[in-house]
Amino acid sequence: PVRRVTGSAQSAWQQQGNKQNWMSLVKYLDRELLTPTVIFSFSKKKCEEIAGMLRSLDLNTAEEGNTAHMFAASAVKRLSPVDAELPQVLQICEMVKRGIGIHHGGLLPILKELVEILFSKNLIKVLFATETFAMGVNMPARAVVFNTIRKHDGIKFRELLPGEYTQMAGRAGRRGIDSVGTVIICCFGEKPPPENILRNMLTGQSTTLSSQFRLTYNMILNLLRVEDMSVEDMIKRSFSEFATQRALANNNYPKLLARGVKSLAKLDRQFEQDMRLHVGASDVEGYFATSTELLSLQRGLHVHLLLSGGGAGGGALVTGRMVLLTGVRGGGRSFVRAPAVVLRAPSSPASTGQDSPDAASTKFVCLILYPRSFVGNDNPEHAEAIDPGHLNYFGQSKNRYYGIVEVDLHEVLAVTAIKKKLEVKVLYKGEKKVNDNSSRLDQFSGVKARSRQLDDPFAGFASMGKKSSPPVSSTSSSKLFQEVDSVVSSLIEIENCESGTDSSVSLMDLRECTRGVQGDIDFHKGCARAEALYHQLHEFEAHYHPDLRIYYTNVERRETLRARLTKLRHMLSNEALQLFPDFLQRKSLLKTLSYVDGNDTVCVKGRVACEVNTCEELIVTEMVFEGLLNELDPAEIVAALSSLIFQAKTSEDDITKELPDSLIQCCQRMKDLAINLGRLQAQHGLKIDPLDYAANSLKFGLVQVVYEWALGVPFSKICELTDVQEGSIVRCITRLDELCREVRNCARVVGNPTLYRRMEEASVLIKRDIVFASSLYVN
């Protein structure tokens, strides 16, 4: 057996390089003229750590270093003297002078722009970046280096997908400058990555494009306010419904529905006329409904037996078992409550080596006795060309027609208690292909090939040196016909018993088939229900009608068409949309919260929610209407709202005691409010856990930071209060300014001038210094 690789052997190719490894690699890139190079690392911390190892390395010439230094100095002049002394600013300015850069989401926006501009001017020779650099910025390089091919996707560590690798590796090679791009995968361990992982990453199939369209309460409310487009129309135009809507249009389903309605109406009229002329089958529709329920129930019971008891249906559908079958087939070969005997039992999961509900084969072979109304013209095509005893053979015995057919479990109406001893090898010899030379076309002439036997001048002469084949003995054929006569006689007896009004065939108790299912309550109930339905069939007049097969087939055609039309109507309706149930659940919640009324008219609370696009609109709306912000000053308001914007993970996510009591109480009420909203959504059918909803919607990691910033504390001081990187803080405060404007608009809709003025003051407090420094791309 193959020994599983674990521990250090498994992670040898995942080892990270040390300072010596990176110094050697960067010198190699510089020596082989492979710069500018982008080195992708899937960790912000790792990017800074590797760049810090190269403090003694200078990749720029004196002129290039001076140019980079002058540009960085001019960019830093946009900042205040205090902000210009930030550790991150000093670090980046020193690195770019030596031709080394860092680019990730934790950098200050002005520093990211500085690095991008210098890299585009070839003043940064080696850039350590996360994968976001390959997504949104068009900065090609001569070479691309992968620090590792494993990343954390927010849930677990995994290897790069083919599409992700192609996106990042595609940065190698500048159009019009480089004739070839170089991609290097670092292997600092003793072994390279496994071949199968590399093959899948390099040549694997790209990730399937899937729709990320999701309904939000803001979207629903805004669409309910306009008349030009409904929510259903928006869902239909999404990528998730694109394939379905295109198929509906290409297949002309509306026209098919109209034609089907006309055909169904015609069948209904014809059925009513036939029922007036024939007496004794007026309840055939009820008979059909009962039979359909019984057939479906029987299939479930026998599949359960196959999966639970093993063998051939746990002893129910073994060879020689007499059964009653009902099935509607084309070519006039329909049969209703027709007696049959099992020749080949269905296979069980044990024989296939599987253990799933669909593992059991639902096909088995029977010798079936066709009804008396069955005529010879109804026999299937090529039936006469099939030898007796083979599948699909059609024959005659005792002045009755019979056939060897393959049936499904959903055609089993009942299993009798009668089991007949059979010579199975004589009765059933398996499947045999039909040799029909008359329909075969000659591949050269394009016309039907003639029989070669007629043109053979040596026909009838035996070959010399070879023994002639002995003539076929008639003993086996005689034994076959005797066995068939015996079986057909038994089937006729069952048919006479079943069609008589005084008695019915005794059924087999499926509950006694196997011991493994005797404790199954649902199985016991199903068996009792099947017995009741079988006896209920004998209460219909149609059960004893000689032309039951014809009437049953006509009803089956009508009901099948009716079911297909129902399915087609559903496909064309809004209920078939994938997101329609989610829309109904969300709209029901909006009605419960009085965001919309019974006529789907947007109320005042709904108009307030329409103003919020930055974060969870329900939480903000409920905060405005419950007055959570009315007693807070502007600095406390922006601090509380920061919990709705900040989404990164931090070690300090709890509310500190250094904050004002009013702010702490507001944050606690916001958390309780979020839990209640999550509970309401769960009650309306949405798959939302209240605690997870509150935890994902509210993160209090920057509440103290934003509060101190609004009070005028310098940026360098607030960075000491948290482990969140500078760029994430700036991004949060920038989005927080947008949320302040949205809450101000909410106050205007409600008619709260006090809150309106406080939101304007709050916006002014946070818009200062490095957070809102002008972009380098503007000038």
Side-chain angles (χ1 to χ4, degrees):
V2 180
R3 186 171 62 89
R4 184 179 178 183
V5 180
T6 58
S8 59
Q10 184 183 18
S11 59
W13 60 274
Q14 302 175 15
Q15 293 181 10
Q16 302 291 325
N18 52 30
K19 180 178 179 179
Q20 182 180 358
N21 297 139
W22 283 108
M23 291 286 289
S24 302
L25 176 60
V26 174
K27 289 180 180 179
Y28 168 81
L29 295 172
D30 187 47
R31 184 175 63 252
E32 298 296 328
L33 302 179
L34 293 177
T35 58
T37 300
V38 179
I39 300 179
F40 285 109
S41 182
F42 304 105
S43 167
K44 301 174 185 177
K45 183 179 179 181
K46 196 66 180 178
C47 288
E48 297 181 356
E49 179 184 337
I50 300 175
M53 297 178 183
L54 309 177
R55 291 190 183 96
S56 61
L57 202 61
D58 191 349
L59 303 177
N60 278 340
T61 63
E63 182 180 357
E64 290 174 337
N66 184 52
T67 303
H69 175 71
M70 294 299 293
F71 183 82
S74 63
V76 172
K77 286 182 180 180
R78 295 170 177 258
L79 306 177
S80 64
V82 177
D83 293 335
E85 297 298 323
L86 288 172
Q88 191 179 83
V89 176
L90 298 176
Q91 179 188 18
I92 296 299
C93 291
E94 190 274 333
M95 281 185 179
V96 297
K97 182 180 178 180
R98 296 184 286 108
I100 298 173
I102 301 173
H103 191 284
H104 56 69
L107 289 182
L108 294 168
I110 191 172
L111 296 182
K112 286 200 294 185
E113 294 175 356
L114 170 65
V115 171
E116 292 166 5
I117 294 174
L118 291 178
F119 185 80
S120 65
K121 294 182 178 181
N122 199 18
L123 295 177
I124 290 181
K125 300 300 190 294
V126 175
L127 176 64
F128 295 91
T130 55
E131 62 178 323
T132 55
F133 184 79
M135 301 300 173
V137 184
N138 184 21
M139 296 288 173
R142 179 169 293 178
V144 166
V145 177
F146 288 90
N147 174 35
T148 179
I149 58 173
R150 286 176 60 83
K151 60 172 284 189
H152 193 272
D153 58 3
I155 302 176
K156 64 181 185 305
F157 281 97
R158 60 168 175 80
E159 285 74 30
L160 290 179
L161 299 176
E164 295 172 336
Y165 170 81
T166 303
Q167 180 70 24
M168 286 180 278
R171 297 294 180 183
R174 297 166 295 180
R175 178 178 296 179
I177 301 177
D178 303 322
S179 59
V180 64
T182 304
V183 179
I184 300 174
I185 299 177
C186 293
C187 302
F188 296 109
E190 298 179 357
K191 295 182 180 180
E195 181 182 353
N196 60 334
I197 293 178
L198 291 176
R199 182 184 294 109
N200 179 67
M201 185 181 69
L202 296 174
T203 63
Q205 187 176 4
S206 300
T207 306
T208 304
L209 188 64
S210 59
S211 174
Q212 298 300 313
F213 177 77
R214 297 293 182 270
L215 287 175
T216 63
Y217 296 104
N218 182 281
M219 179 190 301
I220 294 174
L221 291 169
N222 278 294
L223 289 174
L224 290 176
R225 296 178 67 181
V226 300
E227 298 180 356
D228 296 336
M229 180 179 292
S230 64
V231 181
E232 293 86 346
D233 294 334
M234 178 66 73
I235 297 175
K236 290 178 181 179
R237 297 187 183 188
S238 66
F239 182 71
S240 60
E241 297 292 337
F242 172 74
T244 303
Q245 297 301 319
R246 184 175 62 176
L248 293 176
N250 293 342
N251 294 330
N252 294 323
Y253 282 169
K255 293 183 179 179
L256 291 176
L257 179 61
R259 289 171 52 188
V261 171
K262 292 181 180 179
S263 300
L264 181 60
K266 184 178 179 180
L267 288 176
D268 287 337
R269 290 193 299 268
Q270 184 66 35
F271 181 78
E272 295 295 334
Q273 294 176 3
D274 293 344
M275 293 310 299
R276 296 192 190 100
L277 300 176
H278 298 84
V279 181
S282 58
D283 54 359
V284 67
E285 291 180 286
Y287 184 86
F288 173 81
T290 305
S291 297
T292 302
E293 182 182 356
L294 178 57
L295 292 170
S296 176
L297 185 58
Q298 286 282 7
R299 185 188 186 280
L301 294 176
H302 288 290
V303 169
H304 186 77
L305 284 174
L306 286 171
L307 297 175
S308 302
L317 295 175
V318 295
T319 302
R321 178 69 62 187
M322 299 290 185
V323 295
L324 296 177
L325 303 177
T326 293
V328 177
R329 302 187 177 187
R333 291 179 292 147
S334 302
F335 41 85
V336 180
R337 58 167 176 73
V341 62
V342 178
L343 299 182
R344 190 197 70 196
S347 61
S348 65
S351 61
T352 59
Q354 301 178 8
D355 195 23
S356 62
D358 298 329
S361 174
T362 59
K363 302 287 186 180
F364 61 102
V365 178
C366 288
L367 187 151
I368 185 172
L369 180 68
Y370 285 103
R372 291 188 176 89
S373 59
F374 195 88
V375 294
N377 295 332
D378 292 340
N379 64 315
E381 186 180 3
H382 300 308
E384 295 180 353
I386 299 177
D387 295 334
H390 290 279
L391 186 63
N392 296 326
Y393 173 73
F394 181 83
Q396 191 173 9
S397 175
K398 301 291 184 179
N399 296 324
R400 294 291 298 275
Y401 289 104
Y402 71 93
I404 299 178
V405 297
E406 188 177 52
V407 296
D408 197 277
L409 288 179
H410 70 263
E411 295 176 320
V412 177
L413 186 69
V415 179
T416 71
I418 305 173
K419 182 180 177 183
K420 185 176 179 62
K421 187 176 180 180
L422 302 176
E423 293 288 341
V424 181
K425 294 183 179 180
V426 176
L427 280 174
Y428 180 59
K429 302 177 182 178
E431 184 177 359
K432 182 178 181 180
K433 295 183 179 180
V434 180
N435 296 321
D436 188 6
N437 292 328
S438 61
S439 62
R440 182 168 53 89
L441 297 180
D442 188 277
Q443 57 180 336
F444 298 105
S445 63
V447 298
K448 290 186 177 180
R450 295 179 298 173
S451 176
R452 302 301 183 208
Q453 185 177 1
L454 299 177
D455 299 334
D456 189 359
F458 301 101
F461 291 88
S463 301
M464 295 183 63
K466 295 183 179 181
K467 296 182 180 180
S468 302
S469 300
V472 179
S473 174
S474 62
T475 305
S476 58
S477 298
S478 175
K479 190 174 182 180
L480 170 64
F481 293 136
Q482 290 178 3
E483 190 71 16
V484 168
D485 289 344
S486 174
V487 171
V488 170
S489 298
S490 300
L491 295 179
I492 292 176
E493 293 179 4
I494 295 177
E495 182 187 55
N496 293 334
C497 184
E498 183 66 21
S499 59
T501 57
D502 297 334
S503 61
S504 60
V505 180
S506 58
L507 300 181
M508 179 182 183
D509 189 358
L510 299 180
R511 287 164 289 198
E512 299 179 356
C513 292
T514 57
R515 298 179 180 178
V517 297
Q518 288 183 357
D520 195 327
I521 299 177
D522 293 335
F523 180 76
H524 279 243
K525 292 181 179 179
C527 292
R529 177 60 179 167
E531 293 175 2
L533 290 174
Y534 172 75
H535 293 298
Q536 187 178 343
L537 288 178
H538 294 76
E539 299 176 3
F540 291 95
E541 292 181 350
H543 183 78
Y544 310 101
H545 200 282
D547 293 329
L548 172 61
R549 181 175 71 98
I550 299 175
Y551 294 140
Y552 189 95
T553 303
N554 293 338
V555 174
E556 197 275 342
R557 286 182 56 197
R558 290 173 57 235
E559 297 306 320
T560 300
L561 179 58
R562 197 187 310 277
R564 290 179 179 175
L565 291 179
T566 302
K567 184 178 180 180
L568 192 56
R569 287 192 185 96
H570 176 75
M571 292 175 60
L572 295 173
S573 67
N574 293 330
E575 297 178 357
L577 298 175
Q578 185 178 359
L579 294 176
F580 191 73
D582 182 62
F583 164 61
L584 294 180
Q585 293 164 356
R586 291 180 181 271
K587 189 172 72 171
S588 175
L589 174 66
L590 292 175
K591 290 182 179 180
T592 302
L593 295 174
S594 300
Y595 284 61
V596 296
D597 58 15
N599 298 323
D600 291 347
T601 302
V602 180
C603 304
V604 178
K605 292 182 70 174
R607 300 210 316 269
V608 171
C610 289
E611 300 292 338
V612 183
N613 299 285
T614 309
C615 58
E616 285 291 330
E617 55 270 31
L618 294 184
I619 298 179
V620 175
T621 303
E622 296 299 322
M623 288 174 60
V624 171
F625 276 87
E626 292 190 11
L628 266 65
L629 306 177
N630 293 343
E631 304 300 327
L632 303 180
D633 59 38
E636 294 173 346
I637 290 177
V638 290
L641 293 179
S642 68
S643 61
L644 292 163
I645 298 296
F646 180 64
Q647 294 297 321
K649 294 181 179 180
T650 176
S651 59
E652 299 177 359
D653 199 20
D654 296 331
I655 305 172
T656 60
K657 297 180 180 180
E658 301 176 2
L659 296 173
D661 293 339
S662 57
L663 179 56
I664 296 177
Q665 293 176 5
C666 178
C667 293
Q668 185 59 47
R669 292 179 62 186
M670 289 174 62
K671 189 173 182 179
D672 296 339
L673 182 63
I675 294 176
N676 291 333
L677 287 174
R679 189 177 295 112
L680 274 175
Q681 294 180 81
Q683 291 174 0
H684 283 76
L686 294 170
K687 296 180 180 179
I688 292 178
D689 181 79
L691 296 179
D692 291 342
Y693 174 76
N696 294 329
S697 301
L698 300 173
K699 293 186 182 297
F700 303 98
L702 289 185
V703 171
Q704 185 180 7
V705 172
V706 174
Y707 178 70
E708 298 291 342
W709 175 255
L711 292 179
V713 177
F715 191 81
S716 58
K717 296 296 182 181
I718 68 170
C719 290
E720 298 175 0
L721 301 175
T722 179
D723 58 351
V724 180
Q725 292 183 320
E726 293 88 335
S728 300
I729 297 175
V730 171
R731 187 163 53 251
C732 175
I733 297 177
T734 304
R735 293 187 61 204
L736 187 57
D737 177 62
E738 183 180 353
L739 178 58
C740 288
R741 292 195 299 269
E742 292 175 353
V743 177
R744 183 195 62 185
N745 295 334
C746 294
R748 175 180 50 81
V749 174
V750 176
N752 189 342
T754 303
L755 181 60
Y756 185 91
R757 288 191 298 269
R758 287 180 180 175
M759 296 312 303
E760 286 186 330
E761 295 175 12
S763 181
V764 173
L765 290 177
I766 62 176
K767 292 178 67 174
R768 63 181 178 87
D769 298 341
I770 194 172
V771 175
F772 289 88
S774 59
S775 172
L776 295 180
Y777 288 114
V778 175
N779 186 6

